[in-house]
């Protein structure tokens, strides 16, 4: 994988259901994987920064896992609420010595009340 | 409070009229970056700066200029805007290592 890819592009989930989506990134020269939450008319805000293979992070009902060997990360949302509606972006940082983040195109999540 | 301040939020301009979008951060970060967001294309890097007077092209630099005279400021300059530069622009400031990126409020630019 040369680019950062996210799937699905969009997702509609019933309130109360749990959901997850995927970020795939280049596993070579990997340094860190970022997840951001981007609400309409606002700017992206960081959820997690992960670096170690097998790492798992949690913030309330949202959690993320990381597999650096195969180059993927999952974001999970448990018991979706309307306020979870947003676009979720992942970004990969390589170990080339700069701070460049390469972003995926995002997963747009809509929670149906 | 950690902050990236970007101005203006909205701008409508005509083709060829030079404009500058300002970006300022208060976190003493060395690395700053400009992105544009277009439907279906994600955030694409325009230019970045690794420190004062150190700037370099990102993935889509054509038609843009930047400067980094002071650590806190990183303005984006469009010398002769064209309609294909109509987009949503974000400035970001990123700490070293495992630090997260902090984004400005975004500038929605329309070039007619």
């Amino acid at each position: 994988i040369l680019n950062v890819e996210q799937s699905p592009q969009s997702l509609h989930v019933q309130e109360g259901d749990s959901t997850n989506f995927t970020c795939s990134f280049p596993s070579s020269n990997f340094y860190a994987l970022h997840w951001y939450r981007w609400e309409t008319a606002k700017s992206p805000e960081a959820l997690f920064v992960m670096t170690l293979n097998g790492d798992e992070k949690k913030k309330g009902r949202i959690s993320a896992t990381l597999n650096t060997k195969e180059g993927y990360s999952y974001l999970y949302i448990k018991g979706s609420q309307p306020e979870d509606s947003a676009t979720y972006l992942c970004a990969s940082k390589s170990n080339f010595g700069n701070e460049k983040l390469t972003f995926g195109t995002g997963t747009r999540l809509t929670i149906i009340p | 409070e950690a902050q990236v301040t970007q101005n203006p939020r909205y701008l409508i301009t005509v083709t060829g009229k030079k404009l500058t979008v300002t970006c300022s951060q208060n976190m003493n970060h060395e690395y700053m970056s400009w992105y544009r967001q277009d439907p279906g294309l994600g955030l694409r890097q325009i230019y970045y700066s690794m420190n004062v007077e150190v700037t370099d092209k990102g993935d889509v630099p054509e038609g843009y200029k930047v400067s980094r005279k002071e650590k806190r400021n990183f303005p984006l300059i469009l010398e002769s805007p064209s309609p294909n530069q109509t987009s949503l622009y974000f400035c970001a400031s990123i700490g070293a290592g495992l630090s997260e990126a902090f984004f400005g409020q975004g500038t929605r630019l329309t070039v007619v």
Side-chain angles (χ1 to χ4, degrees), chain A residues 60-72:
Chain A
R61 293 178 292 99
I62 304 177
S63 61
T65 61
L66 180 67
N67 182 323
T68 62
K69 295 187 188 305
E70 295 180 46
Y72 64 84

Side-chain angles (χ1 to χ4, degrees), chain B residues 24-85:
Chain B
S24 180
Q25 52 101 355
N26 65 358
M27 294 162 280
N28 204 38
H29 287 162
E30 292 182 346
Y31 188 92
M32 297 182 74
S33 182
W34 277 102
Y35 298 91
R36 61 179 287 174
Q37 162 72 33
D38 301 292
L41 294 178
L43 284 168
R44 293 183 294 165
Q45 191 180 50
I46 302 169
Y47 265 93
Y48 66 94
S49 170
M50 295 188 70
N51 213 328
V52 174
E53 302 291 2
V54 181
T55 63
D56 208 347
K57 296 176 182 179
D59 301 316
V60 288
E62 293 77 21
Y64 304 95
K65 281 175 56 177
V66 292
S67 71
R68 189 91 181 272
K69 295 186 170 62
E70 312 160 275
K71 190 180 263 191
R72 64 183 291 119
N73 295 324
F74 188 43
L76 179 70
I77 303 154
L78 283 72
E79 294 269 2
S80 183
S82 62
N84 65 11
Q85 292 178 298

Side-chain angles (χ1 to χ4, degrees), chain A residues 97-113:
Chain A
N98 64 36
E99 308 300 332
K100 177 174 180 174
L101 287 172
T102 300
F103 283 86
T105 53
T107 292
R108 186 177 181 87
L109 176 66
T110 303
I111 306 302
I112 305 164

Side-chain angles (χ1 to χ4, degrees), chain A residues 11-21 61 76-82 84 109-113:
Chain A
L11 195 52
H12 288 75
V13 174
Q14 203 70 39
E15 182 178 352
D17 287 352
S18 298
T19 187
N20 65 85
F21 25 94
R61 293 178 292 99
Y76 300 90
I77 302 179
K78 189 177 177 183
S80 304
Q81 299 297 308
D84 296 328
L109 176 66
T110 303
I111 306 302
I112 305 164

Side-chain angles (χ1 to χ4, degrees), chain A residues 24-81:
Chain A
S24 301
F25 55 88
S27 54
S28 60
N29 302 114
F30 171 81
Y31 181 72
L33 192 282
H34 293 219
W35 279 102
Y36 293 85
R37 182 168 178 273
W38 183 16
E39 290 181 76
T40 304
K42 295 187 177 179
S43 43
E45 291 184 346
L47 286 170
F48 306 113
V49 179
M50 308 166 76
T51 189
L52 297 175
N53 185 45
D55 208 1
E56 184 169 341
K57 297 219 171 182
K58 190 174 179 183
K59 187 181 284 190
R61 293 178 292 99
I62 304 177
S63 61
T65 61
L66 180 67
N67 182 323
T68 62
K69 295 187 188 305
E70 295 180 46
Y72 64 84
S73 175
Y74 293 132
L75 190 80
Y76 300 90
I77 302 179
K78 189 177 177 183
S80 304
Q81 299 297 308

